[in-house]
Amino acid sequence: MTIATGAPPTRNTPAAVASGFLMGGVIGASPAALVVGAVIENAPLFVLGIVLPAVYGLLFFLAGAPRRAREAAVAPRTALALVESREAVGGEATSDVAVRFELTVAPDDVPAYRAAFTQHVNVVDLADYRPGGVVVAQYPPDRPWRVRIVKRPTPEWEERAAGARVDSAPGSALVSETPEGSAVGIVRLLALLLAAGGVVLLFRADLFDQNASAPPPSAAGPPVSSSSSTTVVSSASGTVTLGPNQSFLDRGELRGAVTSLLKGADTRAVLTVVVRERLLSIVYAPTGAQASTFDPDSLPYDRFPALVREARTSLGAGSPQTWQITVERLTGSLTVRVGVTGAEGGASLEADAQGKVVRRTPAH
């Protein structure tokens, strides 16, 4: 066994860089998914933020199993060691104390070296490990820095330690685990930023109340723009985005926008209608689909402003507020749901096909 002294070389192997990139991605994506999922009330995204570290931890454990098996199969070596220093670093309230040791380890077949480590020692046994005393230590031959004091050595080694004299090794002979290279740290930081930014970018439409997920022009056709609104229609959905100082609660604005989207669709049956202050989204029913659909012309448009006003003023959500109307009939009957989010939390009310309120859920 050869023991190198001085500063060990850093680890910048391709495997270490790839592992650092993957770890950085998980560290960045997980909290970003949790925060974004909570803000936009996206349960799958929130759950992903919780599950992702657990999956990464499991994969990391499984990938390291062969290495741990190889390390466990290597028999440790035993040597005499001189206690250079000791310092209690924790656990004083219990019978075992965490002690920081620095030893000069003197193997029989290689030069002596120094190693620093922390080991729990019972307070009763502390007197056996005074600086200047000789102890019996063990270490893996391929990882000499992982030294452990043998608390109950064999009679043979106990007898050797009792009459042995070990000379101190110089401080430059201190060995330690190979440190992580700077390239690994840079790659990990880059992956962290990319993952966190990617999550925010993917869900920026929901975060900033903008339609950033509209299909590309090659799939949806060129958008029809005017000075006041932008309309995008595809085979699966349609959206209308109003300009500044406009609202879908303005008289006739919402009905006119829905009519414009239906003109560009092959069917008048839709699955959902979602309305925000300046954003309207419609999901069309696929041809031959058995899902519960409805005709958007039958909606109680005249009741929408009053429903939004009631939700904003009577459910205790606080201010400032954002609101959203969702229309669907997944439960069999048409449901108009008005949700508001403010400083005091989220609240909602539900109305039937005539716009009559049937359920209120105040802010918690």
Side-chain angles (χ1 to χ4, degrees), residues 298-308 310-311 325 327 334-338 349-360:
S298 64
L299 299 181
Y301 293 103
D302 295 339
R303 287 283 299 149
F304 284 179
L307 292 175
V308 172
E310 179 178 349
I325 301 174
V327 184
L334 187 71
T335 301
V336 179
R337 183 178 298 103
V338 182
L349 61 78
E350 294 183 9
D352 58 18
Q354 288 72 44
K356 181 181 179 181
V357 178
V358 296
R359 182 179 294 105
R360 295 177 177 81

Side-chain angles (χ1 to χ4, degrees), residues 3-316:
I3 298 176
T5 61
T10 58
R11 291 177 296 173
N12 279 324
T13 63
V17 172
S19 177
F21 184 86
L22 181 60
M23 179 182 294
V26 173
I27 295 174
S30 177
L34 286 171
V35 173
V36 174
V39 171
I40 67 176
E41 299 181 357
N42 187 320
L45 182 62
F46 186 84
V47 172
L48 178 64
I50 299 175
V51 173
L52 187 61
V55 173
Y56 171 77
L58 178 61
L59 293 178
F60 186 82
F61 175 80
L62 294 177
R67 174 184 56 81
R68 290 191 298 273
R70 290 194 302 269
E71 292 176 352
V74 177
R77 293 193 176 185
T78 306
L80 297 179
L82 174 68
V83 179
E84 300 286 356
S85 65
R86 69 176 187 183
E87 178 184 2
V89 294
E92 289 82 355
T94 64
S95 59
D96 286 343
V97 180
V99 180
R100 178 72 174 175
F101 288 100
E102 184 169 336
L103 304 184
T104 289
V105 183
D108 293 334
D109 53 349
V110 295
Y113 66 94
R114 286 201 181 201
F117 59 95
T118 300
Q119 183 172 342
H120 282 81
V121 178
N122 192 284
V123 293
V124 177
D125 299 328
L126 276 177
D128 297 334
Y129 309 120
R130 295 188 181 93
V134 177
V135 297
V136 179
Q138 285 188 336
Y139 61 91
D142 55 341
R143 288 159 291 145
W145 57 86
R146 291 195 176 181
V147 178
R148 285 294 178 267
I149 295 175
V150 180
K151 298 179 181 180
R152 299 292 182 266
T154 62
E156 177 188 354
W157 279 100
E158 190 172 11
E159 182 178 351
R160 286 187 58 181
R165 181 178 181 275
V166 176
D167 296 328
S168 295
S172 60
L174 180 68
V175 299
S176 61
E177 187 174 7
T178 303
E180 186 178 84
S182 58
V184 177
I186 294 173
V187 168
R188 180 182 295 126
L189 177 60
L190 178 63
L192 186 153
L193 297 176
L194 288 176
V199 172
V200 175
L201 185 64
L202 286 174
F203 294 92
R204 67 187 185 278
D206 293 315
L207 280 172
F208 304 108
D209 204 16
Q210 298 175 355
N211 182 32
S213 59
S218 59
V224 180
S225 301
S226 68
S227 59
S228 59
S229 65
T230 301
T231 302
V232 179
V233 179
S234 71
S235 60
S237 64
T239 60
V240 175
T241 305
L242 297 180
N245 302 320
Q246 293 179 289
S247 172
F248 279 115
L249 296 182
D250 296 340
R251 186 176 181 83
E253 192 73 59
L254 180 57
R255 186 187 294 272
V258 171
T259 301
S260 69
L261 291 180
L262 293 179
K263 289 180 180 178
D266 297 331
T267 177
R268 301 183 67 84
V270 302
L271 294 175
T272 59
V273 173
V274 179
V275 186
R276 299 178 186 173
E277 188 75 49
R278 296 194 303 274
L279 177 64
L280 164 67
S281 301
I282 291 181
V283 178
Y284 304 123
T287 304
Q290 302 299 316
S292 299
T293 62
F294 60 92
D295 183 355
D297 279 344
S298 64
L299 299 181
Y301 293 103
D302 295 339
R303 287 283 299 149
F304 284 179
L307 292 175
V308 172
R309 185 165 53 253
E310 179 178 349
R312 298 181 69 176
T313 58
S314 65
L315 299 180

